mmCIF file with all atom_site columns, all heavy atoms in Angstrom:
data_model
loop_
_atom_site.group_PDB
_atom_site.id
_atom_site.type_symbol
_atom_site.label_atom_id
_atom_site.label_alt_id
_atom_site.label_comp_id
_atom_site.label_asym_id
_atom_site.label_entity_id
_atom_site.label_seq_id
_atom_site.pdbx_PDB_ins_code
_atom_site.Cartn_x
_atom_site.Cartn_y
_atom_site.Cartn_z
_atom_site.occupancy
_atom_site.B_iso_or_equiv
_atom_site.pdbx_formal_charge
_atom_site.auth_seq_id
_atom_site.auth_comp_id
_atom_site.auth_asym_id
_atom_site.auth_atom_id
_atom_site.pdbx_PDB_model_num
ATOM 1  N N   . LEU A 1 201 ? 59.707 -183.251 -29.155 1.00 0.00 ? 217 LEU A N   1
ATOM 2  C CA  . LEU A 1 201 ? 58.708 -182.693 -30.004 1.00 0.00 ? 217 LEU A CA  1
ATOM 3  C C   . LEU A 1 201 ? 58.179 -181.364 -29.456 1.00 0.00 ? 217 LEU A C   1
ATOM 4  O O   . LEU A 1 201 ? 57.747 -180.488 -30.182 1.00 0.00 ? 217 LEU A O   1
ATOM 5  C CB  . LEU A 1 201 ? 57.628 -183.667 -30.278 1.00 0.00 ? 217 LEU A CB  1
ATOM 6  C CG  . LEU A 1 201 ? 58.064 -184.908 -30.994 1.00 0.00 ? 217 LEU A CG  1
ATOM 7  C CD1 . LEU A 1 201 ? 56.798 -185.914 -31.143 1.00 0.00 ? 217 LEU A CD1 1
ATOM 8  C CD2 . LEU A 1 201 ? 58.519 -184.692 -32.448 1.00 0.00 ? 217 LEU A CD2 1
ATOM 9  N N   . SER A 1 202 ? 58.048 -181.175 -28.117 1.00 0.00 ? 218 SER A N   1
ATOM 10 C CA  . SER A 1 202 ? 57.397 -179.966 -27.530 1.00 0.00 ? 218 SER A CA  1
ATOM 11 C C   . SER A 1 202 ? 58.307 -178.918 -27.185 1.00 0.00 ? 218 SER A C   1
ATOM 12 O O   . SER A 1 202 ? 57.904 -177.828 -26.944 1.00 0.00 ? 218 SER A O   1
ATOM 13 C CB  . SER A 1 202 ? 56.419 -180.530 -26.402 1.00 0.00 ? 218 SER A CB  1
ATOM 14 O OG  . SER A 1 202 ? 55.506 -181.498 -26.776 1.00 0.00 ? 218 SER A OG  1
ATOM 15 N N   . VAL A 1 203 ? 59.600 -179.322 -26.963 1.00 0.00 ? 219 VAL A N   1
ATOM 16 C CA  . VAL A 1 203 ? 60.520 -178.295 -26.377 1.00 0.00 ? 219 VAL A CA  1
ATOM 17 C C   . VAL A 1 203 ? 61.693 -177.964 -27.202 1.00 0.00 ? 219 VAL A C   1
ATOM 18 O O   . VAL A 1 203 ? 62.008 -176.891 -27.692 1.00 0.00 ? 219 VAL A O   1
ATOM 19 C CB  . VAL A 1 203 ? 61.006 -178.654 -24.996 1.00 0.00 ? 219 VAL A CB  1
ATOM 20 C CG1 . VAL A 1 203 ? 61.960 -177.652 -24.328 1.00 0.00 ? 219 VAL A CG1 1
ATOM 21 C CG2 . VAL A 1 203 ? 59.836 -178.929 -23.973 1.00 0.00 ? 219 VAL A CG2 1
ATOM 22 N N   . LEU A 1 204 ? 62.505 -179.076 -27.498 1.00 0.00 ? 220 LEU A N   1
ATOM 23 C CA  . LEU A 1 204 ? 63.693 -178.916 -28.219 1.00 0.00 ? 220 LEU A CA  1
ATOM 24 C C   . LEU A 1 204 ? 63.487 -178.455 -29.664 1.00 0.00 ? 220 LEU A C   1
ATOM 25 O O   . LEU A 1 204 ? 63.982 -177.471 -30.056 1.00 0.00 ? 220 LEU A O   1
ATOM 26 C CB  . LEU A 1 204 ? 64.574 -180.273 -28.221 1.00 0.00 ? 220 LEU A CB  1
ATOM 27 C CG  . LEU A 1 204 ? 65.115 -180.588 -26.893 1.00 0.00 ? 220 LEU A CG  1
ATOM 28 C CD1 . LEU A 1 204 ? 65.878 -181.962 -27.138 1.00 0.00 ? 220 LEU A CD1 1
ATOM 29 C CD2 . LEU A 1 204 ? 66.042 -179.605 -26.276 1.00 0.00 ? 220 LEU A CD2 1
ATOM 30 N N   . LEU A 1 205 ? 62.622 -179.311 -30.423 1.00 0.00 ? 221 LEU A N   1
ATOM 31 C CA  . LEU A 1 205 ? 62.453 -178.910 -31.857 1.00 0.00 ? 221 LEU A CA  1
ATOM 32 C C   . LEU A 1 205 ? 61.789 -177.599 -31.961 1.00 0.00 ? 221 LEU A C   1
ATOM 33 O O   . LEU A 1 205 ? 62.340 -176.781 -32.835 1.00 0.00 ? 221 LEU A O   1
ATOM 34 C CB  . LEU A 1 205 ? 61.696 -180.139 -32.464 1.00 0.00 ? 221 LEU A CB  1
ATOM 35 C CG  . LEU A 1 205 ? 61.635 -180.050 -34.003 1.00 0.00 ? 221 LEU A CG  1
ATOM 36 C CD1 . LEU A 1 205 ? 63.126 -180.091 -34.564 1.00 0.00 ? 221 LEU A CD1 1
ATOM 37 C CD2 . LEU A 1 205 ? 60.780 -181.247 -34.501 1.00 0.00 ? 221 LEU A CD2 1
ATOM 38 N N   . PRO A 1 206 ? 60.655 -177.314 -31.436 1.00 0.00 ? 222 PRO A N   1
ATOM 39 C CA  . PRO A 1 206 ? 60.065 -175.867 -31.545 1.00 0.00 ? 222 PRO A CA  1
ATOM 40 C C   . PRO A 1 206 ? 60.973 -174.856 -31.155 1.00 0.00 ? 222 PRO A C   1
ATOM 41 O O   . PRO A 1 206 ? 61.188 -173.699 -31.915 1.00 0.00 ? 222 PRO A O   1
ATOM 42 C CB  . PRO A 1 206 ? 58.853 -175.940 -30.695 1.00 0.00 ? 222 PRO A CB  1
ATOM 43 C CG  . PRO A 1 206 ? 58.489 -177.350 -30.594 1.00 0.00 ? 222 PRO A CG  1
ATOM 44 C CD  . PRO A 1 206 ? 59.822 -177.963 -30.506 1.00 0.00 ? 222 PRO A CD  1
ATOM 45 N N   . GLY A 1 207 ? 61.791 -174.942 -30.029 1.00 0.00 ? 223 GLY A N   1
ATOM 46 C CA  . GLY A 1 207 ? 62.647 -173.957 -29.544 1.00 0.00 ? 223 GLY A CA  1
ATOM 47 C C   . GLY A 1 207 ? 63.833 -173.616 -30.506 1.00 0.00 ? 223 GLY A C   1
ATOM 48 O O   . GLY A 1 207 ? 64.295 -172.472 -30.634 1.00 0.00 ? 223 GLY A O   1
ATOM 49 N N   . ALA A 1 208 ? 64.358 -174.600 -31.193 1.00 0.00 ? 224 ALA A N   1
ATOM 50 C CA  . ALA A 1 208 ? 65.488 -174.464 -31.982 1.00 0.00 ? 224 ALA A CA  1
ATOM 51 C C   . ALA A 1 208 ? 65.107 -174.239 -33.510 1.00 0.00 ? 224 ALA A C   1
ATOM 52 O O   . ALA A 1 208 ? 65.967 -174.012 -34.304 1.00 0.00 ? 224 ALA A O   1
ATOM 53 C CB  . ALA A 1 208 ? 66.411 -175.766 -31.941 1.00 0.00 ? 224 ALA A CB  1
#
Side-chain angles (χ1 to χ4, degrees):
L217 295 176
S218 302
V219 179
L220 289 182
L221 192 59

